[in-house]
Amino acid sequence: DLIICAEVPGLELDDVDISIENNTLVLRGERKRKTEFDERDAHRLERTFGVFTRSFTLPKTVDSDRISASYKNGVLELTLPKVEQAKLRKIEIKAA
């Protein structure tokens, strides 16, 4: 499996969208400012707000129908299982 981890602290699940477009995995989200305040009152503001998008081209070995996602403690983890490769099959030769 391939694993993608995205740190998205403070986001609700409704603020994140995962989709597949033309063999590209697209992660979109929006960090909303929860409280309004006058930025002149802030000494330092280190959180960014707004929309973000990340995209990843999927290799042909990924089974896109079985991709799963989980979210825990501000970390979004995507599991991209690989397709089962054709297994080598040995053919028995029978004596005539």
Side-chain angles (χ1 to χ4, degrees), residues 72-83:
K72 183 177 180 184
N73 296 330
V75 178
L76 178 66
E77 183 175 295
L78 300 160
T79 303
L80 294 78
K82 293 183 179 181
V83 294

Side-chain angles (χ1 to χ4, degrees), residues 26-69:
V26 179
L27 172 63
R28 292 183 181 96
E30 181 177 6
R31 177 169 283 127
K32 299 174 185 170
R33 183 176 289 181
K34 297 198 188 264
T35 58
E36 292 297 323
F37 68 93
D38 188 356
E39 291 187 19
R40 293 178 297 187
D41 294 337
H43 177 67
R44 185 177 189 129
L45 183 62
E46 292 191 8
R47 284 193 101 173
T48 57
F49 300 95
V51 177
F52 62 89
T53 303
R54 300 291 182 269
S55 59
F56 307 91
T57 302
L58 298 177
K60 294 180 188 216
T61 57
V62 169
D63 185 353
S64 62
D65 292 331
R66 297 186 323 149
I67 293 175
S68 62

